[in-house]
Amino acid sequence: MSELLIGIPTFNNPKRLDYVLSALKDRIQNVDYRILICDDSGKIENQNLTKQVVDKYNNTYSNSSNSSNSIPIKYIYNEKNSGVAASWNHIIRSDDQNSPYIILLNDDVIIVKDS
């Protein structure tokens, strides 16, 4: 079980998601965490780009031998656009590990050094 679940809804902006995942990877240390991305029924082109971003960081599906560049990510997709609050609820319901701590972010959050 992961100590911390970080939930991030996203909608049609894989570039912002890439930035926030990079910032999390570089700034979280000494914590057992995983990330759950909820794609809120965006355009199919952006859904594919979002999956590419997730795969870039995800150690579950990565074939890369460099595990320091990967983080545990689960990707879920809302079939119907429901908004950020519904995505947060979907994230919480999808936490199959019942993490004791949950942080809900947006894909446009700025994570500064030492935050």
Side-chain angles (χ1 to χ4, degrees), residues 1-109:
M1 174 177 66
S2 297
E3 181 80 11
L4 173 66
L5 171 67
I6 301 171
I8 307 170
T10 190
F11 177 75
N12 284 339
N13 209 322
K15 288 182 183 179
R16 288 192 313 212
L17 183 63
D18 191 9
Y19 171 80
V20 76
L21 290 175
S22 176
L24 287 169
K25 180 183 74 68
D26 292 342
R27 288 173 176 81
I28 295 181
Q29 298 174 2
N30 303 321
V31 175
D32 179 23
Y33 76 100
R34 63 196 174 89
I35 296 173
L36 202 153
I37 305 291
C38 182
D39 193 342
D40 197 19
S41 189
K43 296 177 184 174
I44 192 68
E45 303 85 27
N46 287 324
Q47 180 186 5
N48 292 333
L49 292 171
T50 297
K51 286 180 182 178
Q52 289 175 9
V53 170
V54 169
D55 288 344
K56 175 180 170 182
Y57 294 95
N58 192 354
N59 71 352
T60 303
Y61 303 107
S62 175
N63 292 326
S64 171
S65 60
N66 188 354
S67 62
S68 66
N69 288 330
S70 60
I71 51 181
I73 302 174
K74 180 178 178 182
Y75 174 86
I76 55 176
Y77 182 76
N78 286 339
E79 293 295 326
K80 178 181 174 191
N81 183 285
S82 305
V84 69
S87 292
W88 283 335
N89 286 330
H90 193 175
I91 287 167
I92 292 168
R93 285 192 303 272
S94 298
D95 180 17
D96 54 0
Q97 293 186 21
N98 296 317
S99 300
Y101 301 101
I102 299 173
I103 295 176
L104 299 173
L105 303 174
N106 289 325
D107 62 1
D108 62 351
V109 70

